[in-house]
Amino acid sequence: MRPSLLALSLTLAAAGAHADEGMWLPSQLPQIATQLRDAGFEGDPASLADLTRPPLNAVVKVGGGTGAFVSDQGLVLTNHHVAFGVIQYNTSPERDLIANGFVAADRGDELPANPDFRVLVTTGFDQVTDRVLADARGRTGRAYYDAVDAAEKALVAECEQQPGYRCSVANMHYGSDFYLVRQLELRDVRLVYAPPEAVGNYGDEVDNFMWPRHSGDFTLLRAYVAPDGQPAAYSPDNVPYVPPAHLQVSTDAVAAGDFAMLAGYPGRTYRHRMASEFASQVEWTLPERVALYGGLIETVEAAIGSDADARVKYASTLAGLENGLKRAEGELDGLRRSNAVATRQADEEAMLAWLADQPAARATRADITAAQALLDETEATRERDQLLGAIARFPQLLGSAMRLQRLALERGKPDAQRESGYQQRDAALIEGGLKQVQRRYAERVEKALLVDLLTQYVALPPAQHVPEFDAVFGGTPEQVRANVDALYAGTTLDEEAERLRWFNATPEEVAQADDPLLQAAARLQPALLRLESEDKQRAGELLRLRPSYMEALIGYRESRGEAVYPDANSTLRVSYGQVSTMDPRDGVRYLPLTTVAGIVEKHTGVAPFDAPRPLLDAIAAGDFGSTADPDLGTQTVNLLTNLDTTGGNSGSPVLDASGQLIGLNFDSNWEAVSASWKFDPRYKRAIHVDMRYMRWLMAKVYPAPHLLAEMDLPVE
Amino acid sequence: MRPSLLALSLTLAAAGAHADEGMWLPSQLPQIATQLRDAGFEGDPASLADLTRPPLNAVVKVGGGTGAFVSDQGLVLTNHHVAFGVIQYNTSPERDLIANGFVAADRGDELPANPDFRVLVTTGFDQVTDRVLADARGRTGRAYYDAVDAAEKALVAECEQQPGYRCSVANMHYGSDFYLVRQLELRDVRLVYAPPEAVGNYGDEVDNFMWPRHSGDFTLLRAYVAPDGQPAAYSPDNVPYVPPAHLQVSTDAVAAGDFAMLAGYPGRTYRHRMASEFASQVEWTLPERVALYGGLIETVEAAIGSDADARVKYASTLAGLENGLKRAEGELDGLRRSNAVATRQADEEAMLAWLADQPAARATRADITAAQALLDETEATRERDQLLGAIARFPQLLGSAMRLQRLALERGKPDAQRESGYQQRDAALIEGGLKQVQRRYAERVEKALLVDLLTQYVALPPAQHVPEFDAVFGGTPEQVRANVDALYAGTTLDEEAERLRWFNATPEEVAQADDPLLQAAARLQPALLRLESEDKQRAGELLRLRPSYMEALIGYRESRGEAVYPDANSTLRVSYGQVSTMDPRDGVRYLPLTTVAGIVEKHTGVAPFDAPRPLLDAIAAGDFGSTADPDLGTQTVNLLTNLDTTGGNSGSPVLDASGQLIGLNFDSNWEAVSASWKFDPRYKRAIHVDMRYMRWLMAKVYPAPHLLAEMDLPVE
């Protein structure tokens, strides 16, 4: 049996390539204790090793991001943008909490969050690799995939039998190790303190991903439980949750070079992907995405023309395409600038050279070769896969028809055997999506978009063609146009009532539907299922084979005295580094602390630079009290560090050398968009709210002395 | 008789508001010796007091900018963009010196400049206030103006009787003092060394006014004289000019905070203008220019439409309008950001309060009141004046007609009495302008432009109307359109031969011309002459009255222990300060030294970021020898200082504390566009070529060891 790779990597005194790179599992921290201390950490790294014990269990999942308990009465600090849904839920024309912010005068004044909002406290994190892989071992491909999937579902179902808990299985190092994560699910969350949007989201999309920033992107919530201490839905009888630990907001100054440490739930990184995957991302995926999205934007724009109604309906689609385009361009620029492909290639070659000298590594080498062959194989149809992905994603009516047909198919099975996303628990989401269509659909635009994608599809070489698609849409641009016209002329899926009728129909009724789009979707479905099955076959093989690649990589790193953190997978990670300048280009330096002067500089009076009058007045008054920066002689706003973060780290607490809370992560810089693939120490930075800004706002601008007192902070 | 204001200001130990502000006359430097030494200057300020003696007479006028002798054999260092005409003149398709640069192998290889290119060495700078004002005193208005004009012309004519000299009269403090400037006119100038344009103008318009910069904007010329040492036109027999002094290029390192001093010929500043002129500039002139130019751009663009030929013809006009618009917007932003109007207003009020307490200042106060009234008066017709100025400037054919009529009028007078610009010496320039018209004229566009301006004119209130313009163009937009159509339908001035025929015709023939545009110009001419005369009347009065304002200002500053430098007027000035960072906005710092890494970062392979292969190779090789910066460990390129500069300072030498040459000024930053009115120490910076970059290019990239040796510099 293969030894635990994670255990292997944990035995190392890590001397990673870059001191600042790393999304470490807490259990790895004792092994990198020397580096942590060298970087300036004053605590005991061993105290951070268990994420289910204090202080790391003060760090929680909040909504779609991260947060932390900051009092012993369940007060949770997270980003304004993470808690935005809660603020919006409590906003009405009469009481605009988005515009005006909110300060709960006392506990009774705190406002219940939307019922689906959650705070999750991790209480278990146990290795379950053997159980997950027990049935999979000896199998290959689709069977391996299904065995892992079934084992994970069984573990989760078993774990969730305990009321009040939500469970999941986390997969480390691409199938090398599996952990069962058990989280206490706090369902009564209330809004306690939010700055006005013009403070909490100052700069909005204009400043997004940009430094220097001037945003007070924080909000305070409070978690409540039933009087018996158990998680419960909102009730006026509930009491504040007493967390197992909470963080202390610092009252010290912060300066460039200071040690900083961040804990949170980063979503996905790809840094340990194989060299060929790096090359594919840079040389094909990203440039093709740029081309595809750029073309779709032109097509949609041309189809909208001067139709104001269509413009409104496609505003969100266009914004999504433009955002995707911008991100792809940014990621491409970053990966090229960092020379990511060549660096990963040289690293992999060195690893393989090392591996060739290892005893008994023949099976490992064979697995790596097989994985490489599988990746090469997927490239044969990547153009088609990209186009079919876009066809399933962008057209609203065709997409609805496909979802209705798939739903009909899945409903024919017992719930537990249905595909994820089509189970009973997913029904509300599907129904909501079918209702949404109306707000994002105009026939002329959808047809133009679909014809654009299908025209690209018919131009593909025969080897990439799918018979069912050819049969439904034809083999020439002219046939495509005629077929799309006919499908949309005959369908009634543009009516919400019709879509919901089919949503509620029996599988047999859907199968016999006379709607041309539903019929087309029925003819396409075998192809989609076949392609999905091929995907799972490959995914299963990769899940089986990649652990050999990771074993080699970790072994190679070990030979150089370096530890390897698993790629991010939404589990709790810790990164450490410094409050840091950044030189974005020759001759320009970003300073690591912004000040309130920048708020005034940016202020135009027009959103997103419409600083509220009380804030401008307080800045002009210059009464910064205990929160002023001693060196700068003014009030700081945001902090820049070189901490390693990615999406999901929103709301992550940033701690100083003594473990006190100095910042709240809310963004990273544009140059770091490519960091999900490659950490480049010159360009990777994270952007935080300086806790002194929060303290000043709560002391002087939108006062909440009772909350400062609850957090053991000075009230001025 | 009024005492010399300049002398008054020179008696002061200046403690100016900002240590870095000031375009000082060399004669003022001994008086600010303490500040100079405090700033780090190690030499004797007294040695800098006479601009006609070493070392300042090493600083010369070159083409439209500044330069300096850098060897005892007439080698002149100036900007690539200042010497660009010389490089262009020597460029042919077979030998592209613009693209490839040029290194003269020896003296015989040096290339003659275009015959009108000059290097001017100042040999005399004598106060002539009494002579200039002798006849003017006691007069007012137009008579005052004419008396000053006549006295200046007489002084210049007398001075230029000595062969080889060009003379001019410089007016300090707006008519307070006058200096006769005598300059040796070196007419045989040769090209010695120029980097390729992609080095000398790296970044071009994209980087213009921007920091960080990476431009090797320097060129070496050599001045030659006849064997007898006298200035002469090019001759192969000529010999290098032995300058009275030359500067030594430094071999020391340069770092932030180092003392720096710059000498050159700044063109125009307005910092001592009256408060009402500041208000008018910010509240009317600049916003109106933005509106006018913005509107003209739209009009010209619409008239061009898809006409490719017209687009080429109006490319220069559009570029000029867009540049003017951008500069006006930049100046407006800067003056508002610096709160220039309120600051100048408060300063003037304090001055007037001080003046009220001065004995025997009644006449001074009366003059200031009168000057203020005159300025207020000009505001009554400023809308009209702006429009008539644009009508005279932008339409090519109407402008040609106006110039031809004026020329005919002036030719009826003895040459000496003709208006400047219409004397015999100006004939070639006028003829060239008439030829140029063809390349910048398309009937439809010119008519649209003229109709736009005249339509704005007819909408003005009656008090601003000019009868002759109304008579020629009509009083309604419809009449304007019809009259413009008729004028352009009938004219033959769109033919070059016709324009030149009228240029060579007698005044009588022009007066009897049957061309409708020439006839229209003849009817407009009395109005233009009348308005011009009113202008001169006001200019004469201001020339008479402003010295009282300056006397009060200087006296007031004196009472505070501050010296006053005269506003720039193209005479030699010295400014001092430091190699300096700049924080353009909160959280962002510009570093004062750029490096070759920035050239690589900006390189796209496409102009203006097409760094030549030899440069990229040399950067990659990293062989920086004695020119590497010891702190940065790499090759620097450009330098940022807080020196006080304006247009005309191109090519100014930048000296260190010991007087050695460390930089060559070539640009300033965008934030400093408003510095011609207001020096704001936070934003005013000047941009220089680091002499170490020049030395490295000459040592390692485009080698010229013989020139390095001539400049007493190491050859690697």
Side-chain angles (χ1 to χ4, degrees), chain A residues 214 586-587 589 591 595 601, chain B residues 212 214 586-587 589 591 595 601:
Chain A
H214 298 86
D586 186 53
R589 176 157 297 167
L591 303 178
T595 75
E601 281 175 9
Chain B
H214 298 86
D586 184 55
R589 176 158 298 167
L591 302 178
T595 76
E601 281 175 10

Side-chain angles (χ1 to χ4, degrees), chain A residues 33 50 117 132 188 199 402 451 537 544 547 598 603 668 702:
Chain A
D50 188 343
F117 196 84
V132 171
D188 181 0
V199 172
M402 287 172 165
V451 166
Q537 159 76 15
R544 181 176 74 84
H603 177 72
S668 66
Y702 302 101

Side-chain angles (χ1 to χ4, degrees), chain B residues 43-303:
Chain B
D44 176 7
S47 71
L48 301 173
D50 187 342
L51 69 149
T52 68
R53 308 181 81 167
L56 283 184
N57 57 356
V59 182
V60 291
K61 277 201 175 178
V62 179
T66 300
F69 289 115
V70 288
S71 87
D72 59 8
Q73 291 297 302
L75 207 55
V76 176
L77 176 64
T78 188
N79 292 139
H80 185 271
H81 78 264
V82 168
F84 187 74
V86 179
I87 302 166
Q88 192 171 36
Y89 179 77
N90 283 288
T91 284
S92 62
E94 300 73 41
R95 197 187 192 191
D96 190 344
L97 304 191
I98 296 174
N100 303 322
F102 176 69
V103 185
D106 53 33
R107 302 257 163 103
D109 202 25
E110 295 173 0
L111 299 168
N114 35 316
D116 59 340
F117 196 83
R118 296 286 180 273
V119 168
L120 301 176
V121 186
T122 303
T123 61
F125 190 79
D126 301 307
Q127 205 188 15
V128 291
T129 311
D130 285 346
R131 262 198 72 182
V132 171
L133 296 184
D135 281 353
R137 287 188 180 118
R139 299 178 197 266
T140 62
R142 176 72 193 254
Y144 192 95
Y145 180 93
D146 288 342
V148 168
D149 190 49
E152 288 183 349
K153 280 178 172 159
L155 277 162
V156 167
E158 180 183 314
C159 177
E160 288 187 348
Q161 282 176 357
Q162 187 180 359
Y165 285 87
R166 178 180 287 185
C167 304
S168 59
V169 174
N171 162 355
M172 300 287 172
H173 285 315
Y174 300 107
S176 302
D177 275 294
F178 295 84
Y179 282 75
L180 179 64
V181 185
R182 195 174 55 168
Q183 295 174 309
L184 190 68
E185 187 177 25
L186 301 174
R187 291 179 285 151
D188 183 359
V189 182
R190 303 188 195 172
L191 181 63
V192 179
Y193 185 102
E197 186 181 33
V199 173
N201 192 20
Y202 193 62
D204 195 20
E205 285 300 324
V206 180
D207 268 7
N208 191 17
F209 274 121
M210 292 296 154
W211 187 259
R213 282 297 275 284
H214 298 86
S215 174
D217 191 356
F218 76 95
T219 287
L220 287 163
L221 306 170
R222 192 187 302 280
Y224 282 77
V225 287
D228 65 358
Q230 292 306 302
Y234 170 77
S235 159
D237 299 332
N238 285 350
V239 296
Y241 171 69
V242 177
H246 72 273
L247 302 175
Q248 176 59 46
V249 174
S250 167
T251 55
D252 293 337
V254 178
D258 283 1
F259 175 85
M261 183 167 68
L262 172 145
Y265 294 89
R268 276 288 142 221
T269 57
Y270 309 91
R271 296 181 190 160
H272 304 320
R273 289 293 180 99
M274 293 168 68
S276 70
E277 293 176 283
F278 271 67
S280 185
Q281 182 76 0
V282 172
E283 288 154 18
W284 193 84
T285 308
L286 292 171
E288 284 297 315
R289 191 180 302 158
V290 168
L292 179 69
Y293 285 17
L296 290 180
I297 289 169
E298 281 184 28
T299 297
V300 171
E301 282 285 1

Side-chain angles (χ1 to χ4, degrees), chain A residues 320-387:
Chain A
L321 284 168
E322 273 153 11
N323 190 45
L325 176 66
K326 185 180 162 191
R327 285 198 64 127
E329 287 173 333
E331 189 174 321
L332 193 54
D333 284 351
L335 292 175
R336 285 178 173 155
R337 188 172 51 216
S338 303
N339 205 17
V341 173
T343 309
R344 187 72 258 273
Q345 179 69 37
D347 182 44
E348 185 173 283
E349 280 166 15
M351 176 193 88
L352 293 173
W354 169 85
L355 187 65
D357 290 338
Q358 300 309 305
R362 187 150 36 152
T364 305
R365 288 201 299 273
D367 283 355
I368 293 175
T369 306
Q372 187 63 66
L374 210 56
L375 290 174
D376 295 346
E377 187 188 308
T378 63
E379 295 200 357
T381 55
R382 59 188 180 185
E383 290 80 8
R384 178 195 74 194
D385 295 338
Q386 188 197 43
L387 287 172

Side-chain angles (χ1 to χ4, degrees), chain A residues 9-33:
Chain A
S9 75
L10 289 184
T11 60
L12 302 173
H18 306 298
D20 310 317
E21 172 174 358
M23 297 177 172
W24 303 98
L25 289 165
S27 54
Q28 293 182 287
L29 297 178
Q31 271 69 37
I32 57 166

Side-chain angles (χ1 to χ4, degrees), chain A residues 4-267:
Chain A
S4 162
L5 289 176
L6 195 60
L8 184 67
S9 75
L10 289 184
T11 60
L12 302 173
H18 306 298
D20 310 317
E21 172 174 358
M23 297 177 172
W24 303 98
L25 289 165
S27 54
Q28 293 182 287
L29 297 178
Q31 271 69 37
I32 57 166
T34 309
Q35 292 93 300
L36 266 172
R37 287 207 199 86
D38 286 352
F41 181 59
E42 293 169 4
D44 176 7
S47 72
L48 302 172
D50 188 343
L51 67 148
T52 66
R53 308 181 80 166
L56 283 184
N57 57 356
V59 182
V60 291
K61 277 204 176 181
V62 179
T66 301
F69 289 115
V70 288
S71 88
D72 58 7
Q73 291 296 302
L75 207 55
V76 176
L77 175 65
T78 188
N79 291 140
H80 185 271
H81 78 264
V82 168
F84 187 74
V86 179
I87 301 167
Q88 193 171 35
Y89 179 76
N90 284 287
T91 283
S92 62
E94 300 74 41
R95 197 186 192 192
D96 190 345
L97 304 191
I98 296 173
N100 303 322
F102 176 69
V103 185
D106 54 35
R107 303 259 162 102
D109 201 25
E110 296 173 1
L111 299 168
N114 35 315
D116 59 340
F117 196 84
R118 295 287 180 273
V119 167
L120 301 176
V121 187
T122 303
T123 60
F125 190 79
D126 300 308
Q127 205 186 14
V128 290
T129 310
D130 285 346
R131 262 199 71 182
V132 171
L133 296 185
D135 281 351
R137 287 191 180 115
R139 300 178 195 267
T140 63
R142 176 71 194 254
Y144 191 95
Y145 179 94
D146 288 341
V148 168
D149 190 49
E152 288 183 351
K153 279 179 172 158
L155 277 162
V156 167
E158 182 184 314
C159 178
E160 288 187 349
Q161 283 175 357
Q162 187 181 358
Y165 284 87
R166 177 181 288 186
C167 303
S168 59
V169 174
N171 163 354
M172 300 287 170
H173 286 315
Y174 300 109
S176 302
D177 275 294
F178 296 83
Y179 283 75
L180 179 64
V181 184
R182 195 173 55 167
Q183 296 175 308
L184 189 69
E185 188 176 23
L186 301 174
R187 292 180 284 150
D188 181 0
V189 182
R190 306 190 192 170
L191 181 63
V192 179
Y193 185 101
E197 185 179 35
V199 172
N201 191 20
Y202 193 61
D204 195 19
E205 284 300 325
V206 180
D207 267 7
N208 192 16
F209 273 121
M210 294 296 154
W211 185 259
R213 283 296 276 283
H214 298 86
S215 173
D217 191 357
F218 76 94
T219 287
L220 287 163
L221 306 170
R222 193 187 303 279
Y224 281 77
V225 288
D228 66 358
Q230 292 306 301
Y234 170 78
S235 158
D237 299 333
N238 285 351
V239 296
Y241 170 69
V242 176
H246 73 274
L247 302 176
Q248 175 60 44
V249 174
S250 167
T251 55
D252 292 337
V254 178
D258 283 1
F259 175 85
M261 183 167 68
L262 171 147
Y265 293 89

